[in-house]
Amino acid sequence: MTENTYETHFYLTGCIQNLSAARRSALCNRVDAEDAGIATRTRTLLNEVRTGGDSALRDMAFRFDGVNLANLEVPRAEWERALAQLALPLRSAIDRAIRNLESVQTAFRPVASETSPEPGVLIGRRPDPLGKVGVYAPGGRATYPSSVLMGAVPARVAGVREIILCSPPGPDGLPSQVVLAAAALAGVTRIFALGGAGAIGAMAYGTESIPRVDRIVGPGNAYVAEAKLQVSGVVAIDSPAGPSELLVIADAGTDVDVVVREVMAQAEHDPRAVVIVVAIGESVAEKLIGRIADAIPSQQRSDIIAESLRSRGAVLWAANEDEAVEFANAFAPEHLLLATRTGADLLPRLHNAGTIFVGECSSVSFGDYMTGANHVLPTGGLARSYSGLSVLDFVRWTTYQIIDPAAAGRLGPDVGVFADSEGLFAHAAAARQWTPAGEVE
């Protein structure tokens, strides 16, 4: 590709085959240099919550949010007031999103199963809902009622008895009014005006006011993400999460305007958002580079978009679909949009993505809000091993075993041999007691 002024709008442009090992590593290993400092500060905040409880949380609300909180918990009357004042079009959209979430998550709800590996031995596995879960809904640059739904509705479908929501307080000492209204509609049990690492610590350790939960879910800033990692030894979390990510695969038949709009939508999340387009062919890449760059100034959040693309955005080109698929699986994006003519054919070959959108009409925005899937997804390449949030995250599996007397007698000799070989002679005796004396080896 010849040099042109458009390339200055992106962190990287070029041919995938020509990427140096260092460049490819920088794209695929998305770890910030500031993480070490964030980890240290987060550890301090969590320790303050663990030792100081509610008093520490009030101090953090004053330090970071500029509010004095007499009560950490939001009275239900405030939820109802927020719901009564919710604009009807937004109320309708939230209700529709909840219906779709309920439908999809109910379809994915796990079921108990039993099997018998040999006569007289029954092994069962049963999904039991968690008792309490904590949902975090971010504040800051924007408020996210959709994140309330993504955490609370699957938990409710799973049968969780108590759903705790934490969201940062505004100047009035309350979370966003639309977050409160969404919580009322989603079936949240209790709400606390808490943000950042302090909120995560409160739900992980418990305080005088905030109950300790069994799992914490929901997106947040770098401190929230780091806090979830640090408390994961005492409470389950959904998955480590960082800035929003999008990888688009496009070809000569792709509507360029569709790709431009998807790029703008994800880049406007955060200056640290990661947006990459992989074009099949250099000419397609050249066209996309120009159109994306031209679109930036007209966007309402143009400053955020420009910084995101300049620091982390890329338009690359591949020689063919095989090369694009290989790169996508290595990159393991949060969102993967197949905007090619053959998207459905590529789908079976793509394994590492938080969620895959097949076809130009399958906008990532639909998944963010309305389809009934979930927008709480693994980032930073962790889609190689983590899945998106779902009803499955709100159950734990109880395994049970039933062995009848005849089977116990048959199992005893072999189990005894195993136990003897490991020097666990009491184990061997416990197994052999069910075998008739004349049959013990």
Side-chain angles (χ1 to χ4, degrees):
M1 176 179 293
T2 57
E3 292 291 328
N4 62 68
T5 57
Y6 286 136
E7 293 187 53
T8 63
H9 290 79
F10 303 92
Y11 166 71
L12 181 64
T13 60
C15 176
I16 287 176
Q17 288 183 341
N18 295 337
L19 289 179
S20 66
R23 282 290 199 184
R24 181 179 281 264
S25 177
L27 285 174
C28 293
N29 301 322
R30 307 180 284 284
V31 179
D32 290 331
E34 64 181 354
D35 282 357
I38 289 176
T40 300
R41 292 189 290 273
T42 299
R43 189 172 297 108
T44 299
L45 293 171
L46 291 174
N47 188 57
E48 289 178 18
V49 174
R50 187 169 51 244
T51 58
D54 284 359
S55 177
L57 293 171
R58 289 191 179 93
D59 178 65
M60 289 180 192
F62 182 75
R63 274 190 284 162
F64 302 129
D65 302 307
V67 294
N68 286 302
L69 295 179
N71 297 303
L72 301 177
E73 186 164 4
V74 179
R76 188 166 286 272
E78 295 290 350
W79 314 13
E80 299 302 330
R81 184 177 298 111
L83 183 56
Q85 296 173 355
L86 189 66
L88 288 179
L90 181 54
R91 167 69 185 264
S92 177
I94 291 175
D95 284 339
R96 182 178 183 182
I98 290 174
R99 288 195 302 273
N100 286 348
L101 275 164
E102 289 173 338
S103 175
V104 171
Q105 300 304 316
T106 298
F108 292 160
R109 189 160 50 194
V111 297
S113 59
E114 293 181 341
T115 187
S116 182
E118 59 183 78
V121 178
L122 178 70
I123 309 298
R125 202 161 184 255
R126 182 188 70 210
D128 292 329
L130 301 180
K132 293 186 181 72
V133 300
V135 177
Y136 187 83
R141 286 187 175 88
T143 56
Y144 297 97
S146 58
S147 292
V148 177
L149 309 186
M150 298 295 167
V153 175
R156 178 164 52 78
V157 169
V160 173
R161 295 189 303 275
E162 190 168 356
I163 302 171
I164 308 300
L165 175 71
C166 286
S167 192
D172 60 355
L174 296 172
S176 154
Q177 291 294 292
V178 69
V179 163
L180 293 178
L185 293 170
V188 168
T189 312
R190 302 173 70 184
I191 303 176
F192 294 90
L194 298 172
I200 303 304
M203 292 188 285
Y205 306 126
T207 70
E208 301 93 322
S209 299
I210 295 91
R212 181 177 180 177
V213 302
D214 303 317
R215 183 181 287 270
I216 299 172
V217 304
N221 64 18
Y223 288 92
V224 169
E226 178 62 28
K228 286 166 66 179
L229 280 175
Q230 291 191 20
V231 302
S232 61
V234 297
V235 64
I237 63 172
D238 43 6
S239 65
S244 184
E245 300 173 353
L246 170 65
L247 175 64
V248 182
I249 298 179
D251 63 14
T254 300
D255 185 333
V256 172
D257 290 333
V258 168
V259 176
V260 170
R261 283 190 284 269
E262 294 295 330
V263 167
M264 298 297 113
Q266 293 307 306
E268 75 171 351
H269 268 292
D270 188 307
R272 298 166 65 236
V274 179
V275 180
I276 294 179
V277 179
V278 174
I280 311 298
E282 183 176 356
S283 62
V284 179
E286 287 183 327
K287 183 185 297 184
L288 284 164
I289 286 171
R291 295 285 285 276
I292 292 169
D294 287 342
I296 296 172
S298 64
Q299 303 300 306
Q300 288 183 300
R301 294 165 69 88
S302 59
D303 290 347
I304 294 173
I305 293 170
E307 185 176 349
S308 167
L309 295 179
R310 187 168 52 247
S311 61
R312 294 164 178 260
V315 178
L316 308 173
W317 69 88
N320 50 51
E321 289 182 345
D322 290 343
E323 193 172 281
V325 167
E326 185 276 331
F327 180 85
N329 280 327
F331 186 76
E334 177 189 23
H335 306 99
L336 174 57
L337 173 60
L338 306 180
T340 68
R341 294 163 293 185
T342 58
D345 295 329
L346 297 181
L347 181 60
R349 300 165 57 193
L350 292 157
H351 311 292
N352 299 338
T355 187
I356 302 174
F357 297 84
V358 183
E360 293 177 338
C361 295
S362 301
S363 172
V364 176
S365 293
F366 293 148
D368 282 345
Y369 293 102
M370 196 61 66
T371 61
N374 209 295
H375 77 204
V376 181
L377 302 163
T379 62
L382 290 171
R384 296 188 307 273
S385 50
Y386 284 88
S387 304
L389 191 67
S390 77
V391 67
L392 300 176
D393 291 281
F394 299 102
V395 301
R396 62 164 303 281
W397 291 91
T398 298
T399 300
Y400 54 91
Q401 307 179 42
I402 304 173
I403 303 165
D404 70 21
R410 294 192 303 272
L411 290 171
D414 279 344
V415 172
V417 170
F418 260 120
D420 284 340
S421 74
E422 296 181 353
L424 299 175
F425 306 113
H427 282 66
R432 288 180 173 129
Q433 68 180 316
W434 301 105
T435 302
E439 298 180 24
V440 176
E441 295 178 357

